[in-house]
Amino acid sequence: MTEPQSAPFQQPPRSAASAGLTPQEQQALVDAARLLKPLARAARVANFDGTLYTIGGALSLLAGGLGMDVVNLTLGVALLAVGLFERGAARQLRVAHPQAPLRVAKSELAGLAVMCSYFLYAWLVMPALSEEFSSQLSGLGSLGDSARRDAEAFQRIIYPTLLVTSLVVQGLVVRYFLSKRAAVNRYLDEVPEWARKVAEGVSD
């Protein structure tokens, strides 16, 4: 009767072996690094998205301040808040905070709501051309009328397209982050706290 085979483990780096760790402890470090890797990748994605929101918010605030435009100022404040919140949630995701995936997903939904609101406003309310430019086109006769119609047609196409694209893409992004809840739970359940601290310190 043969003895049952023990589960194989991957050999950790030489530094871990020389530190006097048992094979089980070495395996715990290997598992910690393996299970933390997809969370670190998702955290980088969240941090990138948060940075984009932050930059977009800052630019909108700048444009709104220069032009005294209430819409751009409001858009800028909202995007800046979303971006800063998501960057904070990304840092939590990198260390497998239990609520981090949901917080990142909520920030993505908030960003989607802000952008969709702007696209709807630009599509249904905002004029295709500024009053100043429209008055200049009026002096060009039929050529000006043709340019105005082209601008209005472009507005009717571009903003609905951006609206639908944002809904689809952001929906997939939200689903991606929500899927990381299982990875966080598995990491917290299977990896001992001391190994988590080592893995998270190495990933900093």
Side-chain angles (χ1 to χ4, degrees):
M1 184 174 180
T2 60
E3 296 181 358
Q5 296 291 329
S6 58
F9 67 90
Q10 301 176 9
Q11 187 67 27
R14 185 178 300 274
S15 59
S18 62
L21 299 177
T22 66
Q24 291 78 12
E25 290 171 337
Q26 294 174 25
Q27 183 62 44
L29 291 178
V30 171
D31 291 340
R34 174 175 55 84
L35 294 175
L36 186 62
K37 186 175 181 180
L39 300 179
R41 186 184 307 114
R44 288 193 294 270
V45 174
N47 187 71
F48 177 77
D49 285 356
T51 300
L52 289 183
Y53 280 127
T54 303
I55 293 174
L59 293 177
S60 295
L61 281 174
L62 179 61
L66 293 176
M68 298 304 293
D69 185 349
V70 176
V71 173
N72 272 328
L73 287 173
T74 303
L75 178 65
V77 170
L79 289 178
L80 194 59
V82 170
L84 293 176
F85 181 85
E86 182 158 2
R87 283 170 59 86
R91 289 191 293 270
Q92 293 179 331
L93 183 58
R94 187 168 54 82
V95 295
H97 189 287
Q99 296 299 319
L102 183 59
R103 289 173 180 171
V104 175
K106 286 181 177 179
S107 68
E108 291 287 350
L109 287 174
L112 175 62
V114 171
M115 296 307 300
C116 286
S117 297
Y118 177 76
F119 293 150
L120 284 172
Y121 168 81
W123 176 25
L124 301 175
V125 179
M126 188 173 68
L129 300 172
S130 65
E131 293 183 5
E132 180 180 358
F133 190 57
S134 182
S135 62
Q136 293 176 355
L137 289 178
S138 299
L140 298 179
S142 59
L143 181 61
D145 293 338
S146 177
R148 187 181 296 104
R149 287 193 297 270
D150 290 342
E152 292 172 350
F154 177 79
Q155 183 183 40
R156 289 193 297 269
I157 294 173
I158 188 63
Y159 289 112
T161 301
L162 289 173
L163 180 64
V164 172
T165 302
S166 297
L167 288 170
V168 173
V169 173
Q170 289 297 99
L172 293 174
V173 171
V174 169
R175 183 178 180 181
Y176 167 73
F177 285 120
L178 289 178
S179 71
K180 298 307 172 185
R181 289 181 294 183
V184 169
N185 292 334
R186 183 182 179 189
Y187 174 75
L188 296 176
D189 290 341
E190 297 184 9
V191 179
E193 183 178 0
W194 69 267
R196 296 201 302 265
K197 290 182 178 180
V198 172
E200 292 159 12
V202 171
S203 67
D204 287 342

